[in-house]
Amino acid sequence: MAAKDRLPIFPSRGAQTLMKSRLAGATKGHGLLKKKADALQMRFRLILGKIIETKTLMGQVMKEAAFSLAEVKFTTGDINQIVLQNVTKAQIKIRTKKDNVAGVTLPVFEPYTDGVDTYELAGLARGGQQLAKLKKNYQSAVRLLVELASLQTSFVTLDDVIKVTNRRVNAIEHVIIPRITRTIEYIISELDELEREEFYRLKKIQDKKKVARKIADKQREEQRKQGQLAESREVQNILDEDGDEDLLF
């Protein structure tokens, strides 16, 4: 096993426990990130379908608005000067909200009407009906554009987050978890090798002790035999009085 395929760590029981806890954490994190990626992917597909639907509807609304503008110009003539003179501030404004999807914040744009209609009296002379239809169609177009902008922004944000999340999932699955697994296998193999070496060492020590014990027993046996021989030589007959010294009382 190459050193670059595993983590640089000293093999021990503590290191094995640490690596097992890290493997459990990496596995749990991989599962959570996988669920997050699936939830983001589901929302991504939903937004994509809404974008396609909104763009299709946008073409129809803009076509109706363009026809309404042509009808107003045909009925009342050029209304550009009237519009420019009455413009003071925007009637349709946008507020921003936030939507949370699996920990990802998505901006949501919402249009709302602020103030009164500055063109309420426009078209009293002629073309009032066509002008009201024109305002309604273009208001629908503006609201649809805001909704499309919100969807497009959420789409781009989700696309970036999904790419980052998938990279993390792949990194954990194909790099981190295999590296920790190989490290645990390396630690186990090294600990087994140390246990075998310790067993062999103890066995050799026991063999040497047995040999030393046998030698010691043999030496003691020889010494015991030599001691018995010396004792037998020193034993004399008690009836033999030759050589005994006289005792004076």
Side-chain angles (χ1 to χ4, degrees):
M1 183 185 298
K4 65 180 180 179
D5 295 335
R6 56 176 174 81
L7 297 174
I9 193 170
F10 182 77
S12 64
R13 294 296 179 186
Q16 183 181 5
T17 305
L18 178 62
M19 287 294 105
K20 285 184 178 180
S21 63
R22 290 183 64 178
L23 179 61
T27 305
K28 185 177 180 180
H30 175 266
L32 292 175
L33 282 177
K34 190 69 176 176
K35 291 180 181 178
K36 178 181 178 179
D38 293 339
L40 293 177
Q41 197 71 248
M42 187 181 302
R43 186 62 178 270
F44 183 78
R45 295 193 188 98
L46 181 63
I47 291 177
L48 180 60
K50 286 184 178 180
I51 288 176
I52 296 174
E53 182 182 353
T54 305
K55 284 187 175 181
T56 304
L57 182 61
M58 190 71 201
Q60 298 176 1
V61 172
M62 291 302 295
K63 182 175 68 173
E64 292 178 1
F67 277 119
S68 299
L69 180 60
E71 289 177 356
V72 169
K73 287 184 177 181
F74 179 77
T75 306
T76 62
D78 191 8
I79 60 172
N80 290 336
Q81 293 299 325
I82 300 175
V83 173
L84 293 175
Q85 289 175 4
N86 292 327
V87 167
T88 55
K89 62 178 182 179
Q91 182 181 358
I92 298 178
K93 296 183 179 180
I94 298 174
R95 64 167 63 97
T96 305
K97 294 183 179 180
K98 293 182 179 179
D99 188 13
N100 194 330
V101 180
V104 180
T105 303
L106 300 177
V108 178
F109 305 139
E110 182 181 9
Y112 68 97
T113 304
D114 183 20
V116 297
D117 187 6
T118 54
Y119 309 107
E120 186 177 2
L121 301 178
L124 288 178
R126 54 179 180 173
Q129 183 178 0
Q130 286 78 10
L131 199 59
K133 183 180 178 182
L134 174 65
K135 289 190 292 183
K136 181 179 178 181
N137 289 337
Y138 269 98
Q139 284 180 357
S140 300
V142 169
R143 294 181 183 276
L144 207 58
L145 280 174
V146 173
E147 182 182 357
L148 183 59
S150 178
L151 292 173
Q152 291 277 28
T153 305
S154 300
F155 181 83
V156 174
T157 305
L158 278 179
D159 187 34
D160 294 337
V161 174
I162 287 173
K163 289 179 181 178
V164 174
T165 305
N166 286 333
R167 282 198 296 267
R168 290 177 180 174
V169 170
N170 293 331
I172 293 176
E173 182 178 356
H174 299 291
V175 178
I176 296 178
I177 291 180
R179 184 174 294 176
I180 295 176
T181 304
R182 287 192 293 266
T183 304
I184 293 176
E185 293 175 353
Y186 162 74
I187 292 174
I188 292 175
S189 64
E190 290 294 322
L191 291 178
D192 291 342
E193 183 67 25
L194 290 175
E195 288 180 358
R196 285 192 293 269
E197 291 177 359
E198 184 68 16
F199 177 77
Y200 179 76
R201 186 180 68 84
L202 292 176
K203 189 174 180 181
K204 293 295 291 183
I205 290 174
Q206 289 179 356
D207 292 341
K208 288 184 178 180
K209 284 184 178 180
K210 287 181 180 179
V211 173
R213 192 180 298 113
K214 288 181 180 179
I215 294 173
D217 293 342
K218 187 176 181 181
Q219 289 177 352
R220 281 196 299 269
E221 184 68 22
E222 291 178 355
Q223 290 176 359
R224 187 174 63 81
K225 289 181 179 180
Q226 291 177 0
Q228 287 180 354
L229 182 61
E231 289 176 358
S232 64
R233 288 177 181 176
E234 292 176 357
V235 172
Q236 296 179 357
N237 190 356
I238 61 175
L239 298 177
D240 189 6
E241 296 181 354
D242 294 341
D244 290 344
E245 295 181 358
D246 295 334
L247 297 176
L248 298 176
F249 295 96

